[in-house]
Amino acid sequence: MTAPGAAGEGGGRALAEHRLHPVTPFRRAWAPVAVLVGWAVHDPRQTQEQLTRLTTTTLLIALAALVPAAAAYGFLSWWFTHFAVTDSELRIRTGLLFRRTAHIRLERIQAIDITQPLLARIAGVAKLRLDVVGADKKDELAFLGEDEARALRAELLARAAGFAPGTAHEVGEAPARELLRVPARHLATALALTGATWGALAAALVVPPVLWLVTHSVVTVLATGLPLLGAAAARSAGRFVGEYDWTVGESPDGLRIDRGLLDRTHETVPPGRVQTVRIVQPLLWRRRGWVRVELDVAGSANSVLVPVAPRGVAEAVVARVLPGVTVPAADSLSRPPRRAGRCVPLWWRGYGVADTDTVFATRHGLLHRSLALVPHAKVQSVRLTQGPWQRLWRLATVHVDTGADKTVTARLRDVQEAEQLLRSQAERSRTGRRAARPDRWMA
């Protein structure tokens, strides 16, 4: 739906402004109701006292006034919201009383995700969320028609990649090749074998009997045990619903992730923006050879690449995220010297480090293993630290900081080895940045 044109960029060319999908007012009409509910939850005692004072007639009058007010708010907020795509930016104008115009430079866009809550899927609409460099939160367009959202996403990515405005419409959505699809039974089994699930379940089974022995109060046992049991079930069920039908595909604009049972989400891992890749393996997954792959992406909330997969399959996906990188084998990571056990008994055996031509890799965890990979080009700074106890045993720790405000640590290394790691990593990060591929869409 197009609104009247506004003054455009250069030459007085009219700039076509568009409105959101007509279903949007129904979504925004809930805002006044949400304010009242929030006030009621904040002070339930006072709310109850106020409600007891009101008569049925007063409540009906209030409801009759609230519904039209909410409907008017939803309609007016939709009517005064416009967006437009210019040669260099996406403009979003919002605000009923206080006007706000967001100017989003296309070359600053990192990722564009499409999310569809359950009701939005039924209505055939979608929400477009944009990750922008330097922005604290995502700008969004909610809601657009599903086809319109995909077309706008494709056009914005094409513009961000450097395509001319006249040809950006013709590029369309880049084709994707499926790399991985997680079967539902594997996901359910993996969640059942996760330590956090067992820990929450153990708490739900152990705490109530202990409370019974102490208090002999059925009310106390039920008030404590039922929430614990519900939390244990909700934790696993929530992850299953969110990670259901997890699919990873490769396209020219990055790796695409489609997931969700009720709320469907279509995310994109921005090319060249991945700072760290972690391969995580809980204890109970080792017999099956399963791992989980997590990401640190600069300026993005995307944190999971693969929820569960065989290690070989997961490493093949990692190779698509970090081209030219080979995941170091477990026996190629060097352990700290034995005297590190004086600082961290037993658990020091889970530490390891490898400094290859392409990545700085560290491992930690004896039961819950995690291998972190940092490409040399993504290293922002390198630090060496020593506590008094480490100095006594001639040990040091090397910290590698990335552009995602994260730190990867090689713990309890021999002092001479740590100094060598510091020098070599500083040099490799400089040469890696010069040889790095450009951070551009469809590059």
Side-chain angles (χ1 to χ4, degrees):
M1 185 173 182
T2 305
E9 291 185 346
R13 177 173 54 87
L15 178 62
E17 290 191 331
H18 306 272
R19 287 198 179 97
L20 302 176
H21 193 276
V23 78
T24 305
F26 296 97
R27 174 247 190 183
R28 296 191 172 183
W30 285 99
V33 179
V35 172
L36 292 178
V37 172
W39 172 77
V41 172
H42 176 70
D43 194 350
R45 178 178 297 180
Q46 184 179 359
T47 303
Q48 186 176 3
E49 292 177 356
Q50 294 291 340
L51 289 176
T52 55
R53 297 174 184 174
L54 299 177
T55 63
T56 303
T57 303
T58 305
L59 288 175
L60 291 176
I61 293 174
L63 185 62
L66 177 62
V67 172
Y73 173 83
F75 175 79
L76 292 175
S77 63
W78 166 77
W79 182 263
F80 286 100
T81 299
H82 306 89
F83 69 93
V85 182
T86 71
D87 293 347
S88 60
E89 64 186 15
L90 169 66
R91 296 180 185 174
I92 305 176
R93 294 197 297 119
T94 58
L96 179 59
L97 299 178
F98 301 96
R99 304 294 289 169
R100 173 183 177 268
T101 303
H103 297 261
I104 302 172
R105 303 290 298 179
L106 297 180
E107 69 270 13
R108 304 284 290 176
I109 293 177
Q110 296 184 131
I112 305 177
D113 302 331
I114 296 177
T115 60
Q116 288 184 284
L118 179 59
L119 293 179
R121 292 174 64 185
I122 296 174
V125 297
K127 180 190 301 184
L128 209 64
R129 306 186 67 190
L130 299 98
D131 265 334
V132 182
V133 176
D136 294 332
K137 64 178 182 179
K138 293 184 178 182
D139 284 285
E140 65 178 31
L141 293 172
F143 287 90
L144 300 171
E146 186 174 354
D147 293 338
E148 183 184 5
R150 293 183 179 276
L152 180 58
R153 177 186 182 275
E155 180 183 356
L156 292 176
L157 292 181
R159 296 277 191 95
F163 285 89
T167 60
H169 287 286
E170 303 173 2
V171 174
E173 188 171 18
R177 179 175 65 90
E178 184 176 306
L179 298 177
L180 166 73
R181 184 182 293 271
V182 178
R185 64 180 184 278
H186 287 182
L187 179 60
T189 304
L191 293 176
L193 296 178
T194 300
T197 302
W198 284 98
L201 184 60
L205 297 177
V206 172
V207 173
V210 173
L211 288 176
W212 171 254
L213 293 175
V214 174
T215 64
H216 296 284
S217 172
V218 176
V219 175
T220 302
V221 172
L222 292 178
T224 305
L226 291 179
L228 286 175
L229 191 61
R235 182 183 182 91
S236 298
R239 282 188 55 183
F240 180 84
V241 169
E243 298 177 354
Y244 179 83
D245 193 29
W246 191 287
T247 305
V248 181
E250 185 180 32
S251 70
D253 54 23
L255 290 188
R256 295 182 186 169
I257 299 175
D258 298 329
R259 61 180 177 85
L261 178 60
L262 301 179
D263 296 352
R264 196 68 181 166
T265 302
H266 309 271
E267 300 175 342
T268 304
V269 178
R273 303 297 299 178
V274 176
Q275 308 293 309
T276 308
V277 174
R278 286 184 301 277
I279 301 177
V280 181
Q281 187 174 44
L283 175 64
L284 299 179
W285 290 15
R286 293 183 192 173
R287 183 175 180 181
R288 296 175 178 268
W290 289 349
V291 297
R292 177 183 179 90
V293 181
E294 300 175 350
L295 301 174
D296 290 332
V297 181
S300 175
N302 297 338
S303 60
V304 179
L305 178 62
V306 179
V308 59
R311 190 179 189 92
V313 175
E315 290 184 359
V317 176
V318 171
R320 309 309 302 172
V321 176
L322 304 177
V325 172
T326 302
V327 178
D331 54 6
S332 67
L333 279 77
S334 63
R335 283 182 178 178
R338 294 186 63 86
R339 61 182 183 275
R342 305 294 179 91
C343 296
V344 182
L346 184 61
W347 297 101
W348 68 273
R349 295 178 177 273
Y351 298 151
V353 64
D355 192 15
T356 71
D357 293 336
T358 53
V359 293
F360 180 80
T362 66
R363 181 187 64 198
H364 72 272
L366 197 58
L367 301 179
H368 188 89
R369 295 175 179 171
S370 178
L371 175 65
L373 308 174
V374 182
H376 296 311
K378 303 303 179 182
V379 175
Q380 299 295 315
S381 63
V382 188
R383 297 174 287 118
L384 186 148
T385 60
Q386 272 187 303
W389 195 246
Q390 290 185 2
R391 286 199 300 270
L392 178 64
W393 298 106
R394 305 184 310 282
L395 300 171
T397 297
V398 178
H399 305 269
V400 171
D401 302 316
T402 70
D405 295 329
K406 303 290 185 178
T407 300
V408 174
T409 305
R411 295 179 172 89
L412 303 178
R413 312 308 305 180
D414 180 81
V415 170
Q416 293 184 354
E417 179 191 7
E419 292 175 347
Q420 176 60 31
L421 283 173
L422 185 71
R423 290 191 296 268
S424 65
Q425 186 53 52
E427 177 60 28
R428 283 177 169 173
S429 64
R430 285 193 293 268
T431 58
R433 281 192 292 271
R434 288 196 294 266
R437 299 171 63 187
D439 295 348
R440 291 189 63 84
W441 297 104
M442 305 180 184

